[in-house]
């Protein structure tokens, strides 16, 4: 079996570096105006060139999403932006619009094309069609079962296949939804989804108009249209048996903490599987770790059953046991201290957990000082402080704490 690729979202430079540090094989990013995520999840063209260079320096591939369904007025921007993407050295473009595929073929015929999940590829004939168009990889529709994915992989050995293994699910078919554009003038197709599916609604049955059914929302969201999040970590052998080449994590809008935890755990699981397939077992610790990031309960989605959306519920809610505390900027071995940037309010003596990229989790309640060595009783988000202790870990290491 070929080593499958672990593909991680990298919405900005910090997330890209976090993905590199914690073991991504490849990252996917957006560029302004052309991807399906809002601007907070996009890199400027200047950052893109630097990010590609850093990633390639570590042997990591970079795919750039231009997976919007373009209007006529978008085409000029695509024509203008494409040469810069190619110059930056991206390894592939993620596209969904046939018009953009045609444009890319004209402007940059040699660049690899990955067909976005937005294109809803659900069967082998569709795969062959895209193969004829020169597409190198297809990100299959999320609605397929593992059985269907395996059948497609067996019938199209020349096509690279990518599937989602972790992250938020959208209750619309492959994300095609007009709700946000209609309710909020912010289009999901342009990467601007405001998640109105999770708001509060009232249903009136025509025969009982005075008995409205209220779709309640708590401080997080309503539940009827809000799916649990996908998590296939427990089923990695079944996933890999399908023959797919790339395992994708959803979440370009998510935090660097999410990127660190998910990358670290899926990296460990993939390494364990590739090391000793026969003896592989899902480590319960991996699941516990994935429960420490924000999620809405986990589901296997459509992996084992067609048409299976699992709504989250008030009992499950948006669960998150830990939050980021800081990120290591410099490890000063000589003085046995770490310069960190604080990401949430910290109190002296609070128990912190360092997620070592290649190792376990180090617990510390180390002293905090400012740059002049004065002890601190507390620190706030954005502060740069020293944590004292003989801990050796690279810049970019994520530090977290329990949510009190
Ligand atoms: S509003 Fe909800 S269902 Fe529609 S695209 Fe956004 S997340 Fe998906």
């Amino acid at each position: 079996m070929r080593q499958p690729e672990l593909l991680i979202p990298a919405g900005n430079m910090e997330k890209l570096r976090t993905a590199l540090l914690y073991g991504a094989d490849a990252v996917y990013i957006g560029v302004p105006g052309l991807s399906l995520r809002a601007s907070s999840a996009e890199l400027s063209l200047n950052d893109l060139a630097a990010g590609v260079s850093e990633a390639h320096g570590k042997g990591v591939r970079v795919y750039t999403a231009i997976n919007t369904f373009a209007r006529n007025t978008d085409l000029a921007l695509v024509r203008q932006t494409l040469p810069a993407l190619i110059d930056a050295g991206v390894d592939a473009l993620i596209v969904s619009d046939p018009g953009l595929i045609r444009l890319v073929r004209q402007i940059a015929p040699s660049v690899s094309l990955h067909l976005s999940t937005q294109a809803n590829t659900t069967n082998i004939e569709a795969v062959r069609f895209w193969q004829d168009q020169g597409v190198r990889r297809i990100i299959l529709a999320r609605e397929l079962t593992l059985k269907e994915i395996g059948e497609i992989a067996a019938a199209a050995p020349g096509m690279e296949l990518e599937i989602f293994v972790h992250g938020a699910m959208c209750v619309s078919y492959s994300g095609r939804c007009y709700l946000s554009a209609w309710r909020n003038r912010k289009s999901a197709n342009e990467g601007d989804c405001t998640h109105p599916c999770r708001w509060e609604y009232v249903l009136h049955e025509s025969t009982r108009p005075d008995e409205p059914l209220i779709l309640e929302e708590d401080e997080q969201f309503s539940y009827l249209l809000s799916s649990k999040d996908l998590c296939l970590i427990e089923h990695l052998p079944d996933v890999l048996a399908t023959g797919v080449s790339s395992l994708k994590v959803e979440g370009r809008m998510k935090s660097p903490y999410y990127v660190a935890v998910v990358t670290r755990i899926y990296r460990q699981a993939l390494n364990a599987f590739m090391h000793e397939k026969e003896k592989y077992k899902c480590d319960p610790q991996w699941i516990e770790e994935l429960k420490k990031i924000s999620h809405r309960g986990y589901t296997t989605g459509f992996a084992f059953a067609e048409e299976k959306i699992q709504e989250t519920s008030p009992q499950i809610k948006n669960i998150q046991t830990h939050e980021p505390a800081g990120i290591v900027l410099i490890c000063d071995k000589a003085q046995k201290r770490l310069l960190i940037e604080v990401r949430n309010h910290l109190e002296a003596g609070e128990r912190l957990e360092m997620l070592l990229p290649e190792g376990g989790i180090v617990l510390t309640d180390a002293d905090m000082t400012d740059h002049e060595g004065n002890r601190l009783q507390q620190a706030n988000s954005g502060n740069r402080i020293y944590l004292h202790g003989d801990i050796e870990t690279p810049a970019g290491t994520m530090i977290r704490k329990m949510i009190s």
Side-chain angles (χ1 to χ4, degrees):
M1 180 185 288
R2 251 182 46 208
Q3 171 87 30
E5 172 188 270
L6 178 58
L7 177 55
I8 298 295
N12 58 30
M13 280 303 271
E14 185 178 39
K15 292 181 221 179
L16 184 139
R17 288 180 178 135
T18 304
L20 299 185
L21 183 65
Y22 283 92
D25 296 310
V27 295
Y28 63 101
I29 57 186
V31 289
L34 295 176
S35 73
L36 274 175
R37 290 292 169 264
S39 53
S40 63
E42 292 167 337
L43 260 67
S44 70
L45 289 177
N46 283 343
D47 280 349
L48 178 68
V52 170
S53 162
E54 259 182 64
H56 285 176
K58 293 186 183 305
V60 172
R61 297 173 288 281
V62 180
Y63 310 139
T64 303
I66 53 168
N67 54 343
T68 186
F69 282 95
R71 313 293 285 253
N72 289 336
T73 46
D74 298 326
L75 296 177
L77 179 62
V78 177
R79 283 196 186 91
Q80 187 189 321
T81 310
L82 267 177
L85 301 184
I86 307 307
D87 288 349
V90 298
D91 297 276
L93 298 177
I94 305 168
V95 285
S96 40
D97 183 334
L100 294 198
I101 292 177
R102 190 168 182 275
L103 261 188
V104 173
R105 279 281 157 264
Q106 287 169 359
I107 296 171
S110 60
V111 72
S112 289
L113 288 178
H114 293 183
L115 190 74
S116 168
T117 193
Q118 294 291 119
N120 293 108
T121 309
T122 54
N123 63 72
I124 180 60
E125 285 304 326
V127 170
R128 290 183 180 130
F129 170 82
W130 289 114
Q131 207 159 17
D132 291 345
Q133 309 309 310
V135 166
R136 180 175 185 150
R137 175 184 295 190
I138 292 182
I139 304 148
L140 291 171
R142 294 178 203 226
E143 293 77 17
L144 293 179
T145 63
L146 290 182
K147 181 169 173 289
E148 290 170 308
I149 292 166
E151 288 164 2
I152 290 174
M159 176 62 86
E160 292 179 15
L161 297 175
E162 179 180 310
I163 59 167
F164 282 92
V165 291
H166 194 93
M169 298 278 278
C170 170
V171 295
S172 291
Y173 206 100
S174 281
R176 293 188 178 207
C177 173
Y178 207 61
L179 199 55
S180 181
W182 172 50
R183 300 298 296 165
N184 238 9
R185 295 282 173 267
K186 285 182 180 286
S187 170
N189 181 44
E190 288 162 10
D192 237 356
C193 178
T194 50
H195 307 291
C197 56
R198 293 162 197 165
W199 299 351
E200 181 177 336
Y201 294 92
V202 179
L203 271 184
H204 290 276
E205 190 194 345
S206 58
T207 54
R208 287 180 287 182
D210 300 331
E211 295 176 36
L213 175 62
I214 297 174
L215 309 183
E216 284 183 64
E217 181 186 65
D218 68 5
E219 66 278 1
Q220 301 290 351
F221 39 73
S222 65
Y223 301 100
L224 187 65
L225 298 171
S226 183
S227 166
K228 288 181 185 175
D229 292 344
L230 180 67
C231 177
L232 292 180
I233 190 99
E234 287 181 83
H235 305 280
L236 216 47
D238 295 329
V239 168
L240 295 173
T242 61
V244 296
S245 349
S246 179
L247 308 184
K248 185 173 205 165
V249 171
E250 179 276 344
R252 266 192 286 146
M253 306 284 277
K254 303 263 176 71
S255 68
Y257 170 56
Y258 169 91
V259 171
V261 172
V262 179
T263 311
R264 182 172 171 274
I265 293 306
Y266 276 87
R267 178 79 278 153
Q268 287 181 10
L270 269 174
N271 286 355
F273 182 82
M274 295 313 289
H275 181 63
E276 236 174 343
K277 292 185 194 66
E278 294 72 28
K279 291 195 179 156
Y280 174 86
K281 273 212 303 240
C282 179
D283 184 339
Q285 267 306 108
W286 296 337
I287 300 164
E288 287 312 305
E289 276 296 298
L290 293 172
K291 288 180 178 170
K292 290 176 181 170
I293 51 177
S294 168
H295 67 289
R296 304 181 186 97
Y298 285 126
T299 173
T300 54
F302 297 89
F304 300 100
E306 290 169 27
E307 308 295 326
K308 191 162 172 247
I309 283 278
Q310 280 194 356
E311 297 138 20
T312 191
S313 70
Q315 287 74 41
I316 297 172
K317 295 194 174 179
N318 202 29
I319 311 156
Q320 178 175 7
T321 58
H322 290 65
E323 63 187 0
I327 188 164
V328 173
L329 300 178
I330 296 172
C331 177
D332 183 348
K333 278 185 266 178
Q335 304 221 39
K336 295 189 176 154
R337 62 183 188 175
L338 301 168
L339 176 65
I340 72 162
E341 186 173 283
V342 177
R343 292 294 160 90
N344 264 305
H345 180 79
L346 297 183
E347 299 278 344
E350 226 177 329
R351 174 57 57 96
L352 303 178
E353 301 181 12
M354 293 201 187
L355 307 184
L356 303 191
E358 289 182 18
I361 295 172
V362 171
L363 304 180
T364 177
D365 51 6
D367 283 344
M368 307 189 294
T369 69
D370 63 17
H371 65 280
E372 285 164 347
N374 303 310
R375 271 196 165 176
L376 298 170
Q377 288 310 309
Q378 54 183 19
N380 291 313
S381 185
N383 291 165
R384 290 187 171 198
I385 63 164
Y386 285 103
L387 273 187
H388 293 259
D390 196 5
I391 303 167
E392 201 175 325
T393 194
T397 297
M398 197 61 60
I399 306 170
R400 73 179 174 202
K401 61 175 189 155
M402 288 271 281
I403 296 174
S404 49

